[in-house]
Amino acid sequence: MSTYRLQSLFAPKSLALAGASPRDLSLGRIVLRNIRDAGFKGRLQLVNPRHAEIDGVPAVASLDQLDGKPDVLIVTAPPAEVPGLVAKAGALGIPAAVIITSGLGHGPGSLAEATAQAARPHGLRVLGPNCLGVLVPSLNLNASFATRMPKVGDLALISQSGAIASSLVEWASSRSIGFSAVASMGDAVDVDFGDLLDYFALDRKTRAILMYVESITDVRKFMSAARGAARVKPVIVVKSGRHTEAARAAATHTGALAGADAVYDAAFRRAGLLRVLDLDELFAAAETLGHLSPFEGKRLAIMTNGGGIGVLAVDRLIDFGGTLATLSEKRIAELDAVLPTSWSRSNPVDLIGDADAKRYRAVLEQLISDRDNDAVLVMNCPTGLASPAESAAAVVEVIQRERARSMMRKPVLCVWVGDRGEATRIFDQAGIPHYDSETEAIRGFMHLVHYREANDSLMETPPSVPTQFVSDTETARDVVTKALAAGKTWLDPIEIETLLGAYGIPVAPSHLARNGFEAARAARPYLAKGQAVVLKVLSPDIVHKSEIDGVRLNILSEEAVRRETEDILARARAAMPTARLIGVTVHPMVVKPKARELIVGAAEDPIFGPVVVFGRGGMAVEVLNDKALALPPLDMKLARDLVDRTGAGPLLGAYRNVPPADRQAIELMLVKISQLLADMPEIREIDLNPVLADESGVIAVDGRITIAAVAAGARSRFAVRPYPKELETRVPGWDDHPVLLRPVRPEDEHLYLDFFKHVSEHDLRLRFFAPVKEFSHTFIARMTQIDYARAMAFVAIEERTGEMLGGVRIHSDANYEKGEYAVLVRSDLKGRGLGWVLMQRMIDYARAEGLSEVEGQVLRDNTTMLRMCTDLGFRIEHDQEDPGLCKVVLDLTAKGPVASAAE
């Protein structure tokens, strides 16, 4: 349902309160008082079968006696009455309900489930139950039991916890931070994180979104909405339960490393959200985002009248990954003119303890205009030599003057240590962020830096996957299918070698031997070359081979191979008499003295599905716990980021007499693992440990893979929808050269750059409704980096040349009912039918996705497009507000095929 009817929830003109009560301290009485005290301008009606009026407000006995249909029904009635109230409200056409009542239970057979089922047939949106309520300060709406009405602002707060939401409102009110809206989700039987992120992403009154998360249920919806919201405004999230242990025991190292919180962290990172660790940090983020917009750079200039606190601020800046700005010689000379000779002559700028308002004003004027820094932190320690309040006023004066003169957007953050309230009032009135300590200020500064970096990362173009990556999915499928048919849950080393080999993942060769004689014969070719071999016990019931002494290394003769093989088998029978013992596997001993030991793998998270794991490997992998996780699918850029987030990353470079490891080979292995997971949903865990990496490449020395059957026709288990290779099609081209129609990829930026060179200015104006002079990276990135769960763009590629000939895109609305399209073909190819082919492909896709309608805007003078739309069955509507535009609409629910080009 997404944003459907949420406008009624956050911009209501009328309310009805079911469960209003005259009883002191009752929930219904508190909510009624809050609604009235906040001054809601719309109409309020009460529903209570036992009272004709409450606090002077008339009440009716039932919903069907209401005078007119309210926009929102607020429910504080007893739990048993809630499903019936919701069913009646839906039948009356009330669009939204806020259920504050708690105690409805959870799951099948509960009152909460009955409430959801009662609302669903009518499209009634439900916030709650068991929630704080909803607050919209700009409408004077406080339909909650919060103790305070927040100020008007541009931060939206989404919280699963009513207590957390109420605490944030209380805290923000004391710091002059305001909200566009506050929504407490409670048990979220309907409206959830995805819905609210979609709504506030498009809400013009909201500049940033704060979220308190306990758990995510619909992960695809959440990831899609979060990625969309993070592209347009900051989204800051705090999640509880960071150290909750997984209930199941992990079967592999990767399973053990992929803890629940680490997966959430990977999900937030992939979505471009800024994660903070606790409410203190969320408050600091709220303080910063309530007053400042994101900016470029992370160079901070610091000015203070106390040298010690300046040094502490520098320490925290470096701790958090910031950069201390450098003062140029010219800037130092200019500061010499306004500061005592004993000043620090470096950053931090020490104003000296007797600094007064005049000195603060003069130095801030210098730093705020300095292009060698990106932000300024102003600090003050109380002394008996100058007035902190006067210095604060001087700082405000400089900032306001610069804003008025040059629309200055350089952030200025303030710390007035030990302030008794005077400076706080001055900064609050001017809307300048201020903090109690240097740590809070630096953390707030870095919140903005990290948000901007995350947003930039979302817009980066990944390098192309090397062309030598060709997967043999048929061979891999055959391995998995046969193993499942045999009842296996673990692949044996032979199967692992074949499976990984199908994706070009290097792995040490394996040979099956059922006894010592067969093992010696398998080892003979390696021993003849002077290469040692490794023996490993093979049994579907023995996962951790080393625990029963089932691994023997560095064996140098056939006799030793036979002897060790028989000993391995004897020990295995003694240690695990019921185990199914197949034999041993023989492997060449891989010796790479300058290689780094890594772990590469995948694990199954019960909420987010598959995750890819990378880190330092070897025997002590779980002790080191040096790992990072990422949600697939991965491209080369995401794989590079994954490697860089571990301590293993720096070790891959050259040091002493050790040459650098082949990073591209490591990153490509991660991409291949990601693709393997996409193609083989039956794979549950992959554990390649150790993976040896040196200047010659990578090789997996040992590996374990678990599998399980999946339901027929099951969709990908990825939280982020992977590249939909199944949508690739080929159509006839020209001169017997076929054209590939495929979904766009993030690495297609270079194709668009060349494509636009073949599109005339006239055609560009018809497509973009305005002249386009340049195609920036950001402009093209928005066309190539799409969320396949919500949008699709098909590009037409001539396979002979690899050139892009045209493209069509469709983006669905948040409710996934309608889609808006756009199409463009190279100007030198117009009239050959490619535009028609692209439009048909888009229509087929939209219909298959279940959209009910496709629409687009066309300039009235674009007669070619209007004629094609008419032939395809679109109806043409003239835009009443813009006479130069037409709206074209295709009803996908209508029966009958779209006309073909030949017709």
Side-chain angles (χ1 to χ4, degrees):
M1 302 280 285
S2 201
T3 62
Y4 177 69
R5 285 184 160 180
L6 290 191
Q7 186 69 19
S8 298
L9 187 63
F10 293 105
K13 294 182 174 60
S14 58
L15 306 174
L17 173 58
S21 170
R23 183 166 49 87
D24 286 341
L25 300 180
S26 67
L27 183 62
R29 181 71 176 270
I30 293 170
V31 173
L32 174 59
R33 185 185 65 230
N34 280 350
I35 293 173
R36 300 185 70 190
D37 289 351
F40 178 63
K41 298 296 192 296
R43 187 179 185 186
L44 172 63
Q45 299 184 76
L46 306 183
V47 180
N48 189 309
R50 290 178 291 277
H51 299 277
E53 64 87 23
I54 301 172
D55 289 350
V57 181
V60 296
S62 63
L63 290 178
D64 52 14
Q65 295 177 11
L66 289 171
D67 182 12
K69 179 179 66 178
D71 293 320
V72 179
L73 173 66
I74 314 296
V75 180
T76 59
E81 299 178 14
V82 173
L85 284 168
V86 169
K88 176 66 74 173
L92 292 173
I94 297 174
V98 178
I99 302 176
I100 301 176
T101 303
S102 62
L104 274 69
H106 302 87
S110 66
L111 291 172
E113 175 64 18
T115 298
Q117 291 177 351
R120 196 168 294 125
H122 307 287
L124 186 148
R125 304 311 308 274
V126 174
L127 184 68
N130 187 28
C131 71
L132 174 74
V134 62
L135 301 93
V136 185
S138 62
L139 300 179
N140 298 320
L141 173 60
N142 181 3
S144 78
F145 59 91
T147 57
R148 188 190 295 257
M149 179 69 174
K151 298 179 185 296
V152 176
D154 54 11
L155 297 177
L157 173 61
I158 306 170
S159 176
Q160 263 179 308
S161 165
I164 295 296
S166 181
S167 298
L168 270 169
V169 167
E170 192 73 23
W171 176 88
S173 296
S174 67
R175 302 299 297 265
S176 297
I177 292 175
F179 294 93
S180 57
V182 177
S184 165
M185 288 168 25
D187 294 336
V189 298
D190 173 29
V191 176
D192 61 11
F193 283 116
D195 301 324
L196 295 172
L197 283 167
D198 277 336
Y199 180 83
F200 290 121
L202 299 176
D203 180 28
R204 294 183 178 181
K205 296 179 181 179
T206 297
R207 186 169 61 82
I209 303 170
L210 307 180
M211 295 191 350
Y212 170 77
V213 175
E214 292 175 352
S215 62
I216 304 294
T217 51
D218 191 337
V219 294
R220 273 204 169 185
K221 180 180 177 183
F222 171 80
M223 290 297 294
S224 187
R227 294 172 74 196
R231 284 179 181 270
V232 295
K233 57 190 63 172
V235 182
I236 299 93
V237 57
V238 61
K239 183 193 175 296
S240 61
R242 290 190 298 116
H243 296 294
T244 301
E245 297 294 329
R248 65 181 179 86
T252 66
H253 291 301
T254 48
L257 293 176
D261 187 70
V263 179
Y264 269 98
D265 200 59
F268 295 151
R269 181 183 297 273
R270 183 63 180 271
L273 310 187
L274 174 62
R275 183 179 187 180
V276 297
L277 297 183
D278 53 36
L279 289 182
D280 284 341
E281 198 173 353
L282 188 65
F283 292 160
E287 169 74 2
T288 310
L289 291 165
H291 297 106
L292 298 176
S293 298
F295 56 92
E296 294 294 326
K298 57 180 179 180
R299 302 169 301 170
L300 183 65
I302 302 171
M303 54 180 284
T304 175
N305 67 341
I309 195 172
V311 175
L312 289 174
V314 172
D315 286 342
R316 301 310 278 155
L317 180 67
I318 304 305
D319 288 342
F320 294 153
T323 300
L324 189 65
T326 301
L327 298 179
S328 66
E329 290 299 323
K330 178 185 177 186
R331 187 62 60 188
I332 290 174
E334 290 170 338
L335 289 170
D336 279 338
V338 298
L339 284 170
T341 56
S342 57
W343 80 281
S344 59
R345 305 194 88 249
S346 65
N347 187 18
V349 178
D350 187 351
L351 309 181
I352 311 303
D354 64 346
D356 57 8
K358 180 180 179 182
R359 197 177 297 171
Y360 268 92
R361 183 184 298 109
V363 173
L364 182 56
E365 286 173 346
Q366 292 285 343
L367 295 182
I368 210 168
S369 62
D370 190 352
R371 294 187 177 182
D372 291 331
N373 69 65
D374 304 305
V376 181
L377 171 59
V378 185
M379 297 195 291
N380 178 275
C381 297
T383 71
L385 303 174
S387 166
E390 290 179 4
S391 297
V395 168
V396 169
E397 177 190 333
V398 173
I399 295 172
Q400 291 180 332
R401 185 170 64 247
E402 287 298 312
R403 286 175 177 172
R405 178 189 304 167
S406 61
M407 298 298 292
M408 185 272 299
R409 288 294 179 263
K410 179 176 288 188
V412 178
L413 305 91
C414 298
V415 174
W416 253 237
V417 179
D419 175 55
R420 297 179 180 178
E422 293 176 308
T424 294
R425 286 191 294 272
I426 293 170
F427 292 136
D428 282 344
Q429 290 173 1
I432 296 171
H434 56 94
Y435 308 85
D436 294 331
S437 70
E438 77 287 350
T439 296
E440 289 184 9
I442 296 296
R443 185 179 282 125
F445 168 73
M446 292 307 298
H447 287 152
L448 288 171
V449 170
H450 290 151
Y451 163 70
R452 194 258 311 156
E453 289 176 343
N455 201 256
D456 288 348
S457 179
L458 286 175
M459 300 305 293
E460 285 184 23
T461 300
S464 297
V465 173
T467 55
Q468 63 265 30
F469 175 25
V470 178
S471 58
D472 182 359
T473 54
E474 290 186 8
T475 296
R477 168 61 54 202
D478 184 61
V479 169
V480 173
T481 301
K482 289 181 178 178
L484 287 172
K488 292 184 176 182
T489 56
W490 292 86
L491 298 184
D492 65 41
I494 310 299
E495 293 165 331
I496 290 173
E497 181 185 355
T498 305
L499 178 70
L500 297 181
Y503 281 75
I505 299 173
V507 60
S510 301
H511 305 274
L512 172 62
R514 292 177 175 80
N515 52 51
F517 178 79
E518 290 184 4
R521 184 172 59 191
R524 190 171 299 150
Y526 301 110
L527 297 173
K529 295 185 294 184
Q531 188 174 6
V533 297
V534 177
L535 301 175
K536 300 177 184 179
V537 67
L538 179 59
S539 167
D541 303 314
I542 302 175
V543 177
H544 299 286
K545 308 175 188 67
S546 59
E547 293 180 0
I548 63 162
D549 195 21
V551 178
R552 307 293 168 85
L553 307 175
N554 205 30
I555 305 174
L556 296 170
S557 70
E558 289 188 36
E559 175 59 30
V561 169
R562 283 192 291 270
R563 184 176 62 252
E564 295 291 345
T565 298
E566 297 302 335
D567 188 57
I568 286 175
L569 296 176
R571 286 178 178 271
R573 293 189 189 99
M576 299 184 67
T578 61
R580 293 167 291 174
L581 200 56
I582 297 173
V584 299
T585 53
V586 182
H587 313 261
M589 183 79 179
V590 179
V591 180
K592 290 179 173 287
K594 296 182 180 180
R596 290 69 156 176
E597 287 192 342
L598 308 172
I599 183 170
V600 172
E604 181 82 4
D605 182 75
I607 298 173
F608 287 92
V611 293
V612 177
V613 182
F614 173 81
R616 292 169 66 181
M619 293 292 291
V621 59
E622 291 177 27
V623 176
L624 292 173
N625 197 26
D626 175 19
K627 56 83 173 63
L629 278 63
L631 298 186
L634 300 183
D635 55 31
M636 292 295 282
K637 174 196 168 296
L638 291 169
R640 181 188 67 217
D641 293 345
L642 178 59
V643 173
D644 286 341
R645 286 191 281 116
T646 68
L651 296 177
L652 300 176
Y655 57 93
R656 295 181 182 174
N657 65 334
V658 179
D662 186 346
R663 280 191 58 120
Q664 187 184 61
I666 298 168
E667 293 158 7
L668 182 57
M669 176 181 274
L670 291 166
V671 172
K672 290 176 177 179
I673 291 292
S674 168
Q675 188 61 50
L676 178 58
L677 293 171
D679 295 341
M680 305 293 149
E682 297 86 355
I683 293 177
R684 286 296 183 266
E685 288 189 9
I686 300 175
D687 189 281
L688 306 183
N689 179 40
V691 172
L692 301 182
D694 60 13
E695 73 279 9
S696 65
V698 294
I699 184 169
V701 177
D702 194 15
R704 286 173 286 178
I705 297 178
T706 67
I707 57 174
V710 296
R715 298 180 65 187
S716 167
R717 295 174 293 117
F718 287 7
V720 178
R721 187 172 180 178
Y723 172 79
K725 187 176 178 62
E726 70 276 6
L727 296 181
E728 292 181 354
T729 58
R730 284 172 174 79
V731 296
W734 304 275
D735 303 323
D736 297 324
H737 297 300
V739 172
L740 173 66
L741 295 183
R742 65 162 174 80
V744 71
R745 297 180 181 134
E747 60 265 31
D748 285 340
E749 182 169 338
H750 69 286
L751 293 179
Y752 273 84
L753 285 169
D754 184 67
F755 169 73
F756 284 130
K757 294 177 182 177
H758 295 85
V759 181
S760 68
E761 291 185 7
H762 173 72
D763 287 346
L764 287 173
R765 184 185 68 84
L766 294 179
R767 164 63 178 86
F768 297 106
F769 301 166
V772 182
K773 298 300 183 183
E774 64 174 324
F775 299 96
S776 66
H777 162 70
T778 300
F779 179 88
I780 297 180
R782 293 191 181 278
M783 306 186 78
T784 59
Q785 299 186 31
I786 64 173
D787 180 357
Y788 297 123
R790 296 192 171 198
M792 185 55 64
F794 292 101
V795 290
I797 308 294
E798 186 178 50
E799 292 197 287
R800 177 175 61 91
T801 63
E803 293 181 344
M804 178 177 168
L805 309 179
V808 64
R809 59 199 310 108
I810 180 169
H811 196 289
S812 72
D813 61 6
N815 303 322
Y816 219 76
E817 295 175 346
K818 300 179 181 180
E820 185 173 357
Y821 86 91
V823 64
L824 185 62
V825 175
R826 271 175 40 170
S827 298
D828 58 334
L829 298 178
K830 293 169 67 175
R832 300 195 185 188
L834 181 59
W836 185 282
V837 170
L838 288 168
M839 287 290 287
Q840 282 189 311
R841 185 71 188 93
M842 177 272 296
I843 293 169
D844 290 343
Y845 167 82
R847 185 171 279 126
E849 286 291 300
L851 297 182
S852 60
E853 190 174 275
V854 169
E855 64 179 37
Q857 287 186 316
V858 182
L859 289 175
R860 183 168 293 193
D861 58 353
N862 192 353
T863 55
T864 301
M865 175 58 69
L866 290 174
R867 185 167 56 251
M868 181 168 63
C869 286
T870 300
D871 293 340
L872 285 167
F874 286 78
R875 71 176 184 270
I876 311 298
E877 301 175 356
H878 297 294
D879 194 312
Q880 299 298 320
E881 297 182 0
D882 189 341
L885 283 178
C886 292
K887 181 180 178 181
V888 296
V889 181
L890 178 65
D891 181 1
L892 296 177
T893 63
K895 295 182 178 180
V898 175
S900 68
E903 296 173 339

